[in-house]
Amino acid sequence: MKTLITARFDRNYTDLLETITTDYEFAGYGVTGEKMSVPQMKEKIKGVELLISEFEDINREVIEAADCLKIIVCCRNEAFASVDIEAATEKGIPVLRAGGRNAIAVAEHTIALLMCVSKNISLTDHLLKYTDQLTNVQYNDNEGKRAETMSEWSMDPTAPFALYGGGPEMYGKTFGQIGFGMIGREVAKRARGLDMELLVYDPYVSQEQMDYLGAKKTDLDTLMKTADFISINCNVVPETVGLISREKIALMKPTAYLVNTARAKILDYDALYDALAEKRIAGAGLDVYPVEPIPAGNKFLSLRNVVLTPHLAGSARDIVGHQTNIVLTDVKKILAGEKPRFICNPEVLA
């Protein structure tokens, strides 16, 4: 089976690849770090039976130029971002995806954002490194015996202990999980590991499917009113666009924190900014934005009660290994006449 691999590929899985094919070529993004153009792909796809891609645009032109293509693999959670699934379906070509390849990475990043903002880790790190607000400062109580004590903190009202301490523990708090798919479950698992109570909003998942984590299924309003920490981890579908609206944000406790590592379209960013600026909620962690890269001068950059990362949650060095294993396992299944785990157009197998 002639195979073209333009995705990043973990060479530790070469033996698994060679149970599928020994006629393979690496090219494109996975080799150079730059996507091949559509004209390049149209030329390269000729004679290829199995395509394993990641970021190359596999559009209708490329699919129509393919003369032997039997399987398209996209090493992303959302294959439609790179592959014209409708065009592939019209030609009877199954499209596989790497479902859950970065679920662990996103889950860890989500909890990290919440810890950073609620415990003022990022803010005080910045103040120590890039300002003199916390360095070379003389506090009123730093004299006498206290001055001789090593590693003692100041109780002065202008000292860090008073200004930036006192953030909440996560232990025993209520964690609200919006979306209980592969990523949402990994986030909830980690929240449970921190001994938080779990509330989950996901109309497509039953209570029984949440029982293994001791989570409680609830409606969105109850979650927004009750949770101390809220994580958005649902997909963008018509029902979730604007789901976390100004009205929903207004339900949050003044001590609550919100994190979004999903997609910007789910959340009203103007409403969130107002709530943060007016201190109507305690803080937020954001990894996704309505415009990316986030423009210089964006209003969120001026807030002290928000931690921002530039769409990094789904990135980790381990992901290449995850996606390689996931997609090769599914290719083996489809070649054996079995139903693959992650297929975008199962109707072509009927």
Side-chain angles (χ1 to χ4, degrees), residues 49-194:
E49 298 170 276
L50 168 62
L51 171 64
I52 302 177
S53 64
E54 187 173 2
F55 295 117
E56 267 77 16
D57 295 316
I58 313 304
N59 61 14
R60 182 174 291 274
E61 284 185 64
V62 174
I63 292 169
E64 289 179 351
D67 52 0
C68 300
L69 197 56
K70 296 177 181 176
I71 302 170
I72 296 173
V73 174
C74 180
C75 294
R76 301 181 69 175
N77 284 311
E78 299 167 332
F80 63 81
S82 297
V83 179
D84 187 330
I85 297 171
E86 182 179 351
T89 302
E90 288 173 8
K91 290 191 71 172
I93 301 170
V95 178
L96 307 181
R97 64 185 182 90
R101 67 171 184 158
N102 57 4
I104 291 172
V106 174
E108 291 178 351
H109 197 94
T110 297
I111 298 299
L113 280 175
L114 285 174
M115 285 188 169
C116 280
V117 68
S118 65
K119 301 180 185 302
N120 282 322
I121 293 171
S122 294
L123 174 58
T124 52
D125 174 77
H126 175 84
L127 292 176
L128 283 169
K129 289 179 177 176
Y130 303 110
T131 79
D132 59 2
Q133 292 183 42
L134 305 181
T135 55
N136 298 319
V137 179
Q138 181 67 40
Y139 299 114
N140 293 328
D141 58 357
N142 189 22
E143 56 186 24
K145 244 183 150 178
R146 282 181 60 85
E148 300 171 8
T149 305
M150 293 183 65
S151 301
E152 181 65 282
W153 60 80
S154 171
M155 304 305 294
D156 192 278
T158 63
F161 187 81
L163 292 178
Y164 305 110
E169 293 180 343
M170 289 184 157
Y171 172 82
K173 300 299 190 300
T174 299
F175 190 88
Q177 180 64 51
I178 299 171
F180 204 64
M182 296 186 75
I183 292 174
R185 294 174 196 212
E186 291 294 338
V187 175
K189 187 191 302 182
R190 282 151 182 78
R192 193 74 185 92
L194 292 166

Side-chain angles (χ1 to χ4, degrees), residues 236 260 262-269 288-292:
V236 175
N260 186 13
R263 288 290 184 267
K265 287 185 177 182
I266 299 164
L267 173 64
D268 185 332
Y269 274 67
V288 292
Y289 310 93
V291 177
E292 295 183 10

Side-chain angles (χ1 to χ4, degrees), residues 5 7 27 32 60 66 83 144 173 210 264 269 272 278 299 331 345:
I5 303 171
T32 66
R60 182 174 291 274
V83 179
K173 300 299 190 300
M210 303 176 187
Y269 274 67
L272 177 65
E278 296 166 15
K299 58 188 177 181
V331 169
N345 52 351

